[in-house]
Amino acid sequence: MTISAHGYDLATKDLDPPLAIVDLDAFDANADDLLRRAAGKPIRVVSKSVRCRALLERVLARDGFEGLMCYSLAEAVWHAELGTSADIVVAYPTADHDALRRLAASERARAAITIMVDSTEHLDLVDAALGHDHPDIRVCLELDASWRPLPGVHVGTRRSPVFKPAQAAALARRIVTRPGFRLVGMMAYEGQIAGLGDAAGTGLRNRVTGWMQRRSAAELTRRRGAAVRAVREVADLEFVNGGGTGSIETTGAEDVVTEIAAGSGLLAPTLFDGYSHFQPRPAALFALPVVRRPAKNVATLYSGGYIASGPTGPSREPSPYLPEGLRLLGFEGAGEVQTPVTGEAARTLRLGDRVWLRHAKAGELAERFLAYHLVRGSQIERTVPTYRGEGHNFG
């Protein structure tokens, strides 16, 4: 399919860039593909990869998407009180005393929200914030899903200290005997599979990544299965969550997993271009205006230094997308106030023309814009606020 900026330019012709859009046809197609890959298992939508309430509500209205996974307790309480979802898991432990007090004070929020724990210290923190006579708080136990093939070798994200099934069972027993807490779920996020493309580099690198992911997935299937069975002997779990956009197939194939987390696949940032088994359509784009022509083959754009979190390097920079044939300058990159681009297409750009770029990570684009213009074809269907546009910064 030939890609052209014409439709996006036409849809936003009356708006001044910088601006951000979400292509609804691409967004909906990506949602369809996530459901296809999940093969019948429900998908819990990861809010940090979207950070726009209207888009979260859009995908949650579809069969197959059930519940939110939030990154902040304050964010989860906000969604619960607005009625965005009645089933919300907070993916990271909280130390936010104010949000804990708001959770405890709201019957609606307490019924909807499950907080994350991986130690009794997290329970102690809740008790310190609320007192020992607080109402029951729903909790989810996090199992570390990293791969540790050799002593001292850690492949994956640094998350829970709970790694072995016996450790999970021991923590579960401590939770169920603590007044004021109810153990209702387990989670394990395999970042070394879900968040690492197996077709993002050279042939050798890709082969090594694929080998690692297959070995890691096989080990995790055995260990997660044993851990879930051990915890189920202690508590009646409502859900077992796993995965991410990049690991839907392998995670969903595990019998003990009852739901899959995914979010980035809806908007398809550049970090999700490098997977061999799925190719989402770019859905979230931002436009910058040309403000300088310092050379025949260079056009300088206003602003644009939207660098993604994670290890620093070219993979975290935004990427010129349309018109095709543009690239950043290696010695300058994307800057706070200007971003020069070069390539054959730069020769035809004029002052005031817009260049469309993609962010490296899905949700972080919403931190730069107050609104997303929802585009279908060459028209804007709606303009909706991001979290920032609704006055929220959840950190």
Side-chain angles (χ1 to χ4, degrees):
M1 180 175 63
T2 301
I3 301 171
S4 169
H6 176 71
Y8 299 146
D9 288 345
L10 189 59
T12 61
K13 66 182 188 305
D14 296 325
L15 304 174
D16 287 322
L19 60 88
I21 67 168
V22 172
D23 183 322
L24 290 179
D25 287 333
F27 183 89
D28 291 344
N30 291 338
D32 288 340
D33 194 51
L34 290 174
L35 292 174
R36 176 192 62 79
R37 295 173 58 212
K41 282 201 174 172
I43 295 175
R44 185 178 293 275
V45 183
V46 179
S47 67
K48 79 176 182 66
S49 300
V50 181
R51 303 190 205 199
C52 172
R53 188 157 56 94
L55 290 175
L56 292 172
E57 291 171 347
R58 181 184 186 89
V59 72
L60 285 173
R62 299 172 58 117
D63 291 340
F65 292 92
E66 299 179 10
L68 281 179
M69 177 169 282
C70 290
Y71 61 98
S72 155
L73 178 57
E75 173 202 17
V77 172
W78 178 61
H79 279 300
E81 291 176 344
L82 288 172
T84 309
S85 175
D87 180 6
I88 304 172
V89 174
V90 183
Y92 304 87
T94 186
D96 187 336
H97 285 213
D98 178 67
L100 284 167
R101 287 190 288 269
R102 289 171 57 204
L103 172 65
S106 169
E107 184 176 350
R108 184 176 190 175
R110 291 198 313 275
I113 295 171
T114 303
I115 66 171
M116 195 64 57
V117 302
D118 60 36
S119 68
T120 55
E121 285 80 6
H122 287 134
L123 309 182
D124 296 340
L125 191 150
V126 174
D127 285 343
L130 304 179
H132 289 276
D133 59 347
H134 59 78
D136 279 357
I137 304 297
R138 294 166 53 88
V139 299
C140 176
L141 187 160
E142 181 166 6
L143 177 74
D144 185 84
S146 62
W147 187 43
R148 304 180 187 179
L150 296 169
V153 177
H154 185 284
V155 181
T157 52
R158 301 278 182 172
R159 294 180 66 110
S160 172
V162 180
F163 185 79
K164 298 178 180 179
Q167 293 174 312
L171 179 56
R173 285 191 290 270
R174 296 188 186 101
I175 295 171
V176 299
T177 58
R178 278 286 282 265
F181 299 95
R182 189 153 62 93
L183 179 58
V184 299
M186 281 186 68
M187 186 187 92
Y189 171 63
E190 50 268 44
Q192 70 277 13
I193 305 172
L196 184 62
D198 64 343
T202 63
L204 177 60
R205 179 190 182 278
N206 292 341
R207 287 193 293 274
V208 171
T209 299
W211 174 85
M212 176 276 292
Q213 291 179 337
R214 290 189 296 273
R215 295 291 296 271
S216 176
E219 184 277 333
L220 181 58
T221 296
R222 295 189 294 270
R223 180 162 54 86
R224 178 158 42 197
V228 171
R229 288 189 291 272
V231 171
R232 284 196 181 277
E233 293 181 0
V234 178
D236 185 16
L237 299 178
E238 297 175 12
F239 66 88
V240 176
N241 181 278
T245 290
S247 69
I248 289 177
E249 292 87 351
T250 55
T251 306
E254 295 184 36
D255 291 339
V256 299
V257 173
T258 65
E259 61 177 40
I260 305 166
S264 293
L266 293 167
L267 295 178
T270 60
L271 283 175
F272 283 81
D273 288 346
Y275 289 80
S276 63
H277 52 290
F278 68 100
Q279 288 80 41
R281 291 171 53 180
L285 309 172
F286 64 99
L288 303 178
V290 176
V291 291
R292 282 179 174 164
R293 290 302 317 269
K296 289 182 179 180
N297 65 335
V298 177
T300 301
L301 315 178
Y302 172 74
S303 184
Y306 310 154
I307 307 301
S309 60
T312 56
S315 69
R316 260 53 185 184
E317 290 184 320
S319 298
Y321 182 56
L322 297 172
E324 294 180 325
L326 295 173
R327 64 183 185 278
L328 302 181
L329 296 179
F331 58 86
E332 190 165 348
E336 179 185 9
V337 291
Q338 71 169 41
T339 297
V341 294
T342 189
E344 191 61 32
R347 295 178 179 274
T348 61
L349 291 173
R350 300 168 299 174
L351 296 185
D353 285 350
R354 55 193 61 182
V355 171
W356 295 90
L357 300 94
R358 297 170 61 202
H359 202 279
K361 298 188 78 172
E364 292 180 16
L365 181 61
E367 298 295 341
R368 298 288 182 167
F369 292 93
L370 299 181
Y372 279 153
H373 304 286
L374 307 186
V375 171
R376 193 182 300 279
S378 59
Q379 293 186 328
I380 294 175
E381 284 199 358
R382 294 173 62 195
T383 296
V384 298
T386 61
Y387 281 8
R388 290 281 186 171
E390 296 202 64
H392 293 288
N393 170 17
F394 295 113

